Amino acid sequence: MTVMQTAGTPIPAGAAAANASMLLPPMSRLLPHITPLIPPGTLLARGGIATGTGLGSSARADETLEQLGEGLKAFSHRTSNFVAAQAPKVKAAQRSAAEYMTKAAHELGDAENRRSFMQKYRRWLQAGAGGIGCLVLVGWGVVHHQASQKAAKGVHDALESMNLLGAVEYGSVSTSLFGTVSLSDVKWHIAPAVDVTASSVDISRIDTAHAIPYYIDLSFSGLTVPVQKIVAAGPGAPIPGILASFARQAGQDGYNALHGTLDIGYDLQKARSVMTMTSSGNFTDFGNWHGKVELGNFSPVLLDTATLSVLDHNVRGLNGMTVFNIAQNVARLTLQAVDVTLDLRDNDKRDQEIPDTSMPQQNPDAANQQVIAMKENEARRAGLPDDQAHLVALLMADKLPAFTMKSSGTKSLPLTELQIPLPQMMQRLDMTLSTP
């Protein structure tokens, strides 16, 4: 049905769109029927241009060229008629646009007119911007709510798959615009009456394709480590070894608890069988660190839920083949690269301020120098140059509170051989020590 516009009658929105489309002709009006451009079926059957044998006889070629000429002639005629019919409309639109722009330039070129324009439209512009902002906030609120619900289920499922559902508690779950999942008021029950707490934990760069992610980053804010409670729990408590060792060392220096931030993450590059682990932390009046370690020959089997079952003290009746498979994959691991910076000068200062209650020595400085000299000679015998041997000796004698240890990344060392002395390890990994 065609909608006609009469003078003074507004055009409905749908009709306006239809009139706008009239500036472009239907393709059927411009293009001729396709059949004149293609040889008829009888010509094709006789071996015409579509058979790949050429045009055949000169008669068939003349017939084909004549049909192409007629088609092009019809196309040219239709195009000319369309341009002739639409040209007045295009010119009228150009004139209207030019008049409108001239009037607008004249109105806004005058200072008084500009003020009047802004006073008239500012309120509408502000209202429109506010309305758009409200719509964005409402839309984000809905999406955020749905994403948070989905994230809460994902966190629950992940903790369940890692047998941590009863060990980890949290208050609420929310998501950010960039996909970061945030947990508030997190508690990790590492032993009876012993909790490591964090005001918030942000989980980003999350791999959702696997039950145990192949890559993930976690950031802990407002972290509290109850040093003395961990020490009092004793060696029989099911506390991760690295955390228990860390707490014992801090406890010896008189810390009751440590407060700070911690970032950890890992990334399995499956194609290269390389696992990259990163960690950084900063604890008040203790120190800070950041580091990266790469493990080679890393199998995805080690990120399977069965592996976590082996590590869980509460699991009984483990499959012997599963344990054997995991042990084989661990035995193949190699240390490929190390880049670690540790700064414990705050801890060292505190340690020096605590009175030493050990048996008095005649000359402790002389004894320390003797130990350092002995370690330095060991490092030289291992093949380290003098400057590196001296730094290694200080580190082995606990006299190097801040350092950077970095390997070249060109050599590797089986993980089963990490118990070798530090000088030999540095030689095997082409590693260097430096101080700030």
Side-chain angles (χ1 to χ4, degrees):
M1 180 177 67
T2 304
V3 179
M4 301 296 294
Q5 178 188 4
T6 58
T9 303
I11 303 176
N19 287 345
S21 66
M22 289 299 295
L23 294 176
L24 295 176
M27 294 305 295
S28 60
R29 294 184 54 190
L30 289 179
L31 295 176
H33 295 294
I34 196 169
T35 50
L37 298 178
I38 300 177
T42 54
L43 180 58
L44 291 174
R46 293 195 302 268
I49 60 175
T51 63
T53 59
L55 289 177
S57 65
S58 60
R60 286 198 299 270
D62 289 343
E63 180 184 352
T64 301
L65 292 177
E66 181 181 1
Q67 291 175 351
L68 289 173
E70 289 297 329
L72 292 174
K73 181 179 179 181
F75 175 77
S76 175
H77 179 70
R78 289 190 175 114
T79 303
S80 300
N81 289 342
F82 172 78
V83 171
Q86 298 298 326
K89 298 179 183 179
V90 174
K91 290 181 179 179
Q94 289 176 335
R95 283 196 301 270
S96 297
E99 292 173 359
Y100 178 81
M101 295 302 295
T102 301
K103 183 178 179 181
H106 174 74
E107 290 291 333
L108 298 180
D110 181 74
E112 184 63 31
N113 288 339
R114 286 197 300 272
R115 284 192 296 271
S116 176
F117 176 85
M118 291 306 298
Q119 290 173 357
K120 180 177 180 181
Y121 291 103
R122 181 184 289 112
R123 192 174 302 170
W124 292 99
L125 292 172
Q126 291 174 343
I132 293 173
C134 288
L135 288 175
V136 170
L137 289 176
V138 169
W140 165 239
V142 172
V143 173
H144 175 75
H145 175 70
Q146 293 176 344
S148 297
Q149 286 185 329
K150 184 178 180 181
K153 184 180 184 305
V155 170
H156 178 277
D157 294 344
L159 291 175
E160 185 177 28
S161 67
M162 293 185 288
N163 300 311
L164 293 174
L165 197 57
V168 177
E169 293 183 2
Y170 50 91
S172 62
V173 180
S174 61
T175 59
S176 73
L177 182 63
F178 303 102
T180 299
V181 177
S182 298
L183 283 67
S184 66
D185 302 325
V186 179
K187 291 183 180 180
W188 178 23
H189 307 297
I190 58 175
V194 182
D195 297 335
V196 175
T197 63
S199 59
S200 66
V201 177
D202 294 336
I203 310 171
S204 59
R205 210 174 59 88
I206 310 168
D207 172 25
T208 58
H210 304 89
I212 305 300
Y214 281 14
Y215 52 86
I216 193 171
D217 289 329
L218 294 93
S219 179
F220 299 78
S221 301
L223 183 65
T224 298
V225 180
V227 173
Q228 294 299 336
K229 288 185 177 181
I230 294 175
V231 174
I239 300 175
I242 188 171
L243 180 58
S245 177
F246 175 71
R248 283 195 298 270
Q249 182 63 42
Q252 291 175 2
D253 294 333
Y255 291 95
N256 181 51
L258 290 176
H259 307 277
T261 61
L262 173 66
D263 297 309
I264 57 176
Y266 64 85
D267 186 350
L268 172 60
Q269 302 174 43
K270 186 178 178 182
R272 296 174 52 211
S273 298
V274 172
M275 169 63 80
T276 302
M277 298 180 293
T278 58
S279 173
S280 63
N282 190 350
F283 286 90
T284 305
D285 296 327
F286 182 80
N288 62 82
W289 73 89
H290 60 84
K292 180 175 72 172
V293 174
E294 287 187 0
L295 299 179
N297 298 329
F298 195 98
S299 171
V301 171
L302 297 176
L303 291 181
D304 193 271
T305 53
T307 304
L308 296 179
S309 298
V310 172
L311 300 177
D312 189 354
H313 297 278
N314 299 317
V315 175
R316 297 292 181 267
L318 293 172
N319 188 308
M321 289 302 299
T322 299
V323 177
F324 178 73
N325 188 26
I326 293 172
Q328 277 191 319
N329 283 282
V330 170
R332 285 195 289 263
L333 291 176
T334 59
L335 182 61
Q336 290 196 169
V338 176
D339 187 354
V340 176
T341 296
L342 182 66
D343 187 348
L344 299 181
R345 284 176 287 190
D346 289 344
N347 176 54
D348 186 62
K349 180 180 178 182
R350 180 189 180 99
D351 187 35
Q352 293 176 4
E353 292 173 351
I354 297 177
D356 193 352
T357 59
S358 59
M359 293 297 291
Q361 299 177 1
Q362 293 296 326
N363 192 346
D365 289 337
N368 288 333
Q369 291 300 323
Q370 184 177 0
V371 171
I372 292 173
M374 182 181 65
K375 299 290 185 183
E376 192 169 334
N377 287 331
E378 291 178 4
R380 284 197 185 96
R381 286 195 297 269
L384 295 180
D386 290 346
D387 60 333
Q388 291 293 293
H390 180 65
L391 290 177
V392 169
L394 292 175
L395 180 59
M396 296 174 69
D398 293 328
K399 298 299 180 181
L400 196 65
F403 62 88
T404 296
M405 179 183 291
K406 187 174 183 178
S407 67
S408 64
T410 59
K411 299 180 180 180
S412 63
L413 179 68
L415 219 60
T416 54
E417 299 182 23
L418 284 184
Q419 300 299 323
I420 63 176
L422 181 59
Q424 283 85 342
M425 182 188 300
M426 292 182 63
Q427 281 288 86
R428 295 278 297 275
L429 289 173
D430 193 17
M431 189 182 295
T432 57
L433 265 177
S434 60
T435 56

